Amino acid sequence: MGFQELIVFLEGTGIADSIRENDNLFPLIESMHVLAISLVVGSIFAVDLRLLGLAWIARPVSRVTHGILPLTWAAFVVAVGSGGLLFISNATKYLANDYFVAKMILIAIAGVNMLGFHFIGARDQSAWDNSARPPFKVRFAGGLSILLWISVVICGRWIGFTMKLG
Amino acid sequence: MMAHGALLELSKWLSATSLSREIQTIGWVIPTLQTIHILCVAVLFSSAILIDLRVLRVLQRDVSLAEVARRFLPAIWPVLPVLLVSGSLLIIGEPRRALLNTTFYLKMTLLLVAIALTACLQWSFASTFWEKRAGKSVAVLSILVWCGILFAGRWIAYTEIG
């Protein structure tokens, strides 16, 4: 099955039909999406500000990440699940929307930034875990993350103004 | 209904102001205001939830509630005025969307409750009240109220009349 067929198949599923047809289902899922993405973005900012050395600097970086990222991940799962449901309800129209495509690319870059930090940047974490101002590569990853997630929210809000859902 | 008539008059008057006309006619203003609004909501909502989850001992058990509150309460108060200003500008741009919408008043009522709960926490985060069952119930209530605010906020777009 190619990508086009997959999109057509997803749009034709019963659940996609229900989300399109039911007046309350779309807003309900959309509200959950907004709630989840707010938690993702807000909690990631709290971690990024620690990486930048701008907030909660008395607390080791590893304590901040262990304390906050479980919330980020839980919310991310809900955001992807609810976003996926919104997507399949009008997959073709979303894929034709530049802001939607940009949003997906930005999330992918944010993912690469996070993996790069986790597997490469944080190798010597014990050396700067307690430091108020972590090394440049760490601050860079934190700053980039904030910019990326702000851009994700901008694109997300613009989707609603550039797409006419029927 | 008199209140409804007065709100209708207020909406008409607001939409005739030059500020409202600017917001209505310049295409990027409303989405930009909404983006600023949602980013502020993200910071405020996450900060409140992180404090509530510490009260419930779900996250950050290795530090005291006082330390978590001292980190995240200062992220709540300064963001609130930005939300009020961006929200007010959105209302001035599209007065009927909010002022004649029951969902908007539900959101404002829940917001007042959330602010009251946050103020309680601000005054008493060092108290042992938050370790008791009553304190944990307040944290659960706070989470529900904040979720209600976010739901109502999105629902305003779907319940506007006319």
Side-chain angles (χ1 to χ4, degrees):
Chain A
M1 186 154 58
F3 185 67
Q4 258 338 306
E5 290 95 271
L6 177 68
I7 294 306
V8 173
F9 167 76
L10 285 173
E11 265 181 333
T13 54
I15 180 124
D17 264 340
S18 312
I19 298 167
R20 263 194 311 273
E21 305 302 328
N22 187 313
D23 282 346
N24 290 319
L25 215 46
F26 191 92
L28 191 69
I29 299 168
E30 196 189 19
S31 300
M32 285 180 60
H33 190 64
V34 171
L35 195 146
I37 198 122
S38 297
L39 283 178
V40 170
V41 171
S43 62
I44 282 187
F45 282 179
V47 172
D48 291 336
L49 287 173
R50 177 61 187 92
L51 296 182
L52 283 164
L54 294 175
W56 229 0
I57 48 177
R59 193 154 151 75
V61 172
S62 58
R63 294 284 88 211
V64 174
T65 52
H66 287 150
I68 294 176
L69 289 182
L71 173 67
T72 315
W73 279 112
F76 187 73
V77 169
V78 177
V80 171
S82 53
L85 288 173
L86 297 175
F87 172 72
I88 63 167
S89 73
N90 280 286
T92 311
K93 282 184 189 170
Y94 278 112
L95 284 173
N97 185 289
D98 292 340
Y99 292 100
F100 176 80
V101 176
K103 182 180 170 182
M104 293 305 111
I105 294 170
L106 287 163
I107 293 173
I109 299 173
V112 171
N113 179 48
M114 187 199 66
L115 289 173
F117 171 73
H118 189 77
F119 288 108
I120 303 163
R123 266 187 199 155
D124 57 345
Q125 185 162 352
S126 53
W128 45 261
D129 200 33
N130 292 306
S131 115
R133 192 176 142 96
F136 175 75
K137 59 174 183 181
V138 177
R139 285 180 281 131
F140 181 83
L144 182 63
S145 166
I146 289 182
L147 292 178
L148 284 167
W149 285 105
I150 289 176
S151 311
V152 168
V153 173
I154 293 172
C155 288
R157 194 66 290 251
W158 243 269
I159 293 170
F161 284 90
T162 48
M163 221 173 88
K164 284 280 162 276
L165 290 174
Chain B
M1 228 165 69
M2 240 178 82
H4 183 270
L7 287 168
L8 191 62
E9 286 305 311
L10 177 64
S11 302
K12 278 183 188 158
W13 178 79
L14 274 175
S15 25
T17 59
S18 58
L19 178 59
S20 180
R21 284 176 190 282
E22 300 273 359
I23 298 171
Q24 289 161 41
T25 45
I26 306 171
W28 52 265
V29 174
I30 287 176
T32 303
L33 286 170
Q34 288 189 354
T35 304
I36 294 168
H37 200 71
I38 188 75
L39 282 168
C40 289
V41 166
V43 170
L44 200 152
F45 179 55
S46 300
S47 302
I49 296 296
L50 282 166
I51 298 171
D52 290 332
L53 290 177
R54 173 58 188 83
V55 173
L56 295 169
R57 301 188 58 79
V58 174
L59 291 176
Q60 320 210 74
R61 280 176 298 236
D62 60 325
V63 275
S64 65
L65 170 64
E67 195 176 327
V68 175
R70 270 194 291 266
R71 162 65 184 89
F72 289 104
L73 284 174
I76 293 180
W77 299 119
V79 170
L80 207 50
V82 183
L83 277 167
L84 294 179
V85 169
S86 54
S88 302
L89 289 170
L90 286 166
I91 294 172
I92 292 168
E94 299 175 290
R96 295 171 61 105
R97 184 177 191 261
L99 296 179
L100 300 180
N101 191 331
T102 318
T103 314
F104 169 73
Y105 294 99
L106 173 66
K107 181 180 171 183
M108 290 304 106
T109 308
L110 289 171
L111 178 63
L112 290 176
V113 176
I115 290 173
L117 293 177
T118 310
C120 284
L121 205 111
Q122 178 76 61
W123 285 318
S124 68
F125 59 73
S127 153
T128 53
F129 167 78
W130 299 100
E131 289 159 27
K132 296 175 188 146
R133 177 170 277 216
K136 293 189 189 346
S137 310
V138 173
V140 171
L141 177 67
S142 165
I143 292 175
L144 292 175
V145 169
W146 282 114
C147 290
I149 291 170
L150 267 91
F151 262 77
R154 192 72 286 259
W155 224 274
I156 288 172
Y158 292 96
T159 47
E160 63 183 301
I161 45 168

